[in-house]
Amino acid sequence: MSIYIVQLLTGVAYGMLYFMIAAGLTIILGVMNVVNLAHGAFFLLGTYFAFTFMSLHLNFWLALLLAVIVTAILGIIIEKLLINKLYGKELEQVLLTFGLTFVIADCAKWIWGTEMQTIAVPELLNSSITIGEMVFPAYRLFVVLVGCILAVILWYLESRTRVGAIIRAGVDDRAMVAALGINVRLVFTGVFAFGAGLAGLSGVLGGPLIGMYTGMDSDILVTSLIVVVIGGLGSWKGSFVGAILIGLIETLGKIWFPSLSMLIVFLLMVVVLMIRPQGLYGKVVSQ
């Protein structure tokens, strides 16, 4: 029994990583209607930024904070210089952000090389807990805790703050929000930076779990897109549920059906789309 508990906790830990990046992606898609295929690149950059800061003898926590801030600032720059000119032009957004993934990936190879790297687990969390006859790393429990705290923060921002009300209104009727005198472009910039920061956060936290390698941006983007599709556009709740499902399926699938784990993930997406084309928590778009 203990081995199943450990595997379930492992699946939830990976699910929390997927949730952090997918939450930013679904908010960007749902609020801004921007197809950002470069979102995985923010995950990649967050990891490598933290790795660089730690190589300068900064501790994990300071490196985490700085990596998230730098990634968010980079998101602001990209939104202001590039995305800002392409609102309402989905095809151009796809081409631009798809091209950005290659540019950022090649820059990462040039700066950091192509060798597999990893981020050391912080000393405070470099221990394990005993579950029956098995041990479970404390760091993975920390990742689960961060994901749950983030879910609570998103709930509070959405339902209890004026910013959340503006974002919800922007999802439903963007033109009306602008007519009320709210600077929609400023809101969009903030949302894009927030999404990029979440991707950077998940990248740093994922460093000790999955390592660092060029090409990880594409892998994580595919998974996060599946989470968004299952959960529904603009819904962080959907991302939370979808990410946990994907994390559990991947982890348990690699034990029971090692060659079919990703197939099961895609089958789940197909089933959800057949039953609820808008996703588990997505809104039905009226015609």
Side-chain angles (χ1 to χ4, degrees):
M1 180 61 69
S2 59
I3 187 173
Y4 293 111
I5 295 176
V6 168
Q7 293 304 323
L8 285 173
L9 288 174
T10 300
V12 173
Y14 280 96
M16 289 299 99
L17 286 179
Y18 298 149
F19 165 62
M20 291 176 212
I21 185 171
L25 182 60
T26 192
I27 291 172
I28 290 173
L29 279 168
V31 175
M32 304 172 64
N33 197 26
V34 171
V35 184
N36 181 24
L37 297 184
H39 198 70
F42 293 126
F43 179 93
L44 175 74
L45 290 175
T47 308
Y48 277 104
F49 285 153
F51 176 78
T52 301
F53 290 135
M54 292 181 70
S55 67
L56 298 176
H57 306 292
L58 298 181
N59 63 48
F60 176 85
W61 309 108
L62 185 54
L64 170 66
L65 177 61
L66 291 176
V68 172
I69 292 174
V70 173
T71 307
I73 292 174
L74 183 61
I76 292 174
I77 294 172
I78 290 176
E79 193 277 336
K80 284 293 187 183
L81 297 182
L82 301 174
I83 304 296
N84 191 39
K85 306 177 187 301
L86 299 177
Y87 287 123
K89 302 176 181 179
E90 287 80 7
L91 178 59
E92 288 84 348
Q93 292 169 4
V94 169
L95 293 174
L96 171 66
T97 55
F98 187 62
L100 276 176
T101 61
F102 289 100
V103 173
I104 294 174
D106 284 344
C107 288
K109 291 179 183 178
W110 176 57
I111 297 172
W112 291 288
T114 58
E115 294 183 2
M116 182 81 171
Q117 304 283 355
T118 187
I119 294 177
V121 174
E123 185 177 352
L124 179 64
L125 301 172
N126 193 16
S127 60
S128 300
I129 62 172
T130 302
I131 302 176
E133 298 179 352
M134 307 293 293
V135 294
F136 190 78
Y139 181 78
R140 295 187 181 184
L141 286 179
F142 170 72
V143 173
V144 174
L145 178 62
V146 172
C148 293
I149 292 175
L150 176 62
V152 173
I153 291 174
L154 289 175
W155 167 80
Y156 182 81
L157 289 175
E158 180 187 49
S159 60
R160 303 287 181 172
T161 66
R162 183 172 182 269
V163 173
I166 293 172
I167 292 176
R168 292 199 310 273
V171 174
D172 295 330
D173 194 336
R174 193 173 312 170
M176 181 59 68
V177 173
L180 292 174
I182 297 171
N183 189 336
V184 177
R185 290 296 176 89
L186 181 61
V187 173
F188 280 7
T189 301
V191 168
F192 198 88
F194 183 70
L198 284 182
L201 173 65
S202 60
V204 179
L205 295 179
L209 292 181
I210 61 179
M212 301 159 45
Y213 59 94
T214 53
M216 65 188 297
D217 53 328
S218 300
D219 296 338
I220 200 70
L221 177 65
V222 171
T223 304
S224 59
L225 285 173
I226 294 174
V227 171
V228 169
V229 170
I230 291 175
L233 292 181
S235 171
W236 66 265
K237 298 176 186 176
S239 294
F240 185 79
V241 174
I244 292 178
L245 287 175
I246 298 303
L248 290 174
I249 290 174
E250 279 193 350
T251 302
L252 298 178
K254 289 176 181 177
I255 298 175
W256 295 330
F257 311 102
S259 60
L260 299 177
S261 59
M262 282 307 297
L263 175 61
I264 298 173
V265 169
F266 281 101
L267 285 177
L268 173 63
M269 181 179 68
V270 171
V271 171
V272 170
L273 289 177
M274 290 176 63
I275 299 173
R276 286 182 61 85
Q278 72 275 18
L280 294 176
Y281 290 89
K283 295 183 179 179
V284 179
V285 180
S286 58
Q287 301 294 331

